[in-house]
Amino acid sequence: IDVAGIMELAQNMPRRPRRKKDDAAAVASPLQNNTNSKKVKVLYVDDSATDRKIMRRLLESTGWIELTEVVHPKDVADTLKTDNFSLIITDVMMPDMDGYELARSLRAADIQQPIIAVSSRNESADRKKVTASGINAFITKPISLPAMLEKINELVFQNS
């Protein structure tokens, strides 16, 4: 890989203006009205520090989502015992236990919170696997804030 060449190309590419926090709040405002100023507690499971950082910035930019991170899927059950979460978001591709296995184990333990799976690969084509594992929604990376908020609205607020 020609890293220097890629860096040069990247420096010469036109830049998109960065979104301000006000923009994220504007996207979230219709959903925020549904929450009645209530914080939504989300448990996010991902082995990648980079992906956890991106998800934290994305979701906490709304001002009404509180994110708790778990690195290892095997630690999820203990975390759920110590706090009450409205929603679980999990990466699909993780070592030891993937997102599908995690969802199946949570459902087997009678954990009813909605689960959103995220992946850089479009595994959503295998709907049987998603449904059979107890996952409620599937989103492909890179995550779009409006798409994620739409799913959160659908799973947390419209099913309450």
Side-chain angles (χ1 to χ4, degrees), residues 41-45 76 80 85-90 102 106-107 111-117 136 155:
K41 294 180 88 170
V42 174
L43 179 62
Y44 180 52
V45 187
V76 170
L80 289 169
F85 295 93
S86 303
L87 177 75
I88 300 165
I89 300 174
T90 183
L102 173 61
L106 293 174
R107 296 306 185 220
I111 294 171
Q112 299 301 315
Q113 285 94 338
I115 300 172
I116 297 176
N136 302 89
L155 295 171

Side-chain angles (χ1 to χ4, degrees), residues 53-91:
K53 184 176 182 178
I54 291 168
M55 188 68 78
R56 176 170 295 284
R57 284 185 179 169
L58 187 72
L59 294 180
E60 288 186 346
S61 71
T62 64
W64 53 271
I65 294 177
E66 183 180 312
L67 194 69
T68 299
E69 299 172 3
V70 174
V71 176
H72 303 289
K74 293 178 180 181
D75 296 335
V76 170
D78 291 334
T79 305
L80 289 169
K81 289 176 188 173
T82 62
D83 210 343
N84 189 24
F85 295 93
S86 303
L87 177 75
I88 300 165
I89 300 174
T90 183
D91 185 33

Side-chain angles (χ1 to χ4, degrees), residues 15-136:
R15 299 200 187 265
R16 292 188 315 190
R18 290 186 116 180
R19 256 166 96 167
K20 298 176 185 152
K21 285 192 177 193
D22 294 344
D23 294 343
V27 169
S29 63
L31 301 177
Q32 194 167 17
N33 293 337
N34 288 344
T35 67
N36 295 322
S37 300
K38 176 182 145 194
K39 287 254 185 200
V40 174
K41 294 180 88 170
V42 174
L43 179 62
Y44 180 52
V45 187
D46 197 326
D47 62 310
S48 166
T50 302
D51 287 348
R52 288 193 314 272
K53 184 176 182 178
I54 291 168
M55 188 68 78
R56 176 170 295 284
R57 284 185 179 169
L58 187 72
L59 294 180
E60 288 186 346
S61 71
T62 64
W64 53 271
I65 294 177
E66 183 180 312
L67 194 69
T68 299
E69 299 172 3
V70 174
V71 176
H72 303 289
K74 293 178 180 181
D75 296 335
V76 170
D78 291 334
T79 305
L80 289 169
K81 289 176 188 173
T82 62
D83 210 343
N84 189 24
F85 295 93
S86 303
L87 177 75
I88 300 165
I89 300 174
T90 183
D91 185 33
V92 171
M93 302 304 295
M94 295 181 286
D96 301 325
M97 178 186 278
D98 68 20
Y100 298 118
E101 292 172 284
L102 173 61
R104 280 192 297 275
S105 71
L106 293 174
R107 296 306 185 220
D110 200 32
I111 294 171
Q112 299 301 315
Q113 285 94 338
I115 300 172
I116 297 176
V118 296
S119 179
S120 56
R121 298 188 328 192
N122 191 3
E123 290 130 358
S124 64
D126 189 1
R127 290 285 173 200
K128 285 183 180 179
K129 193 172 186 180
V130 171
T131 305
S133 61
I135 293 171
N136 302 89

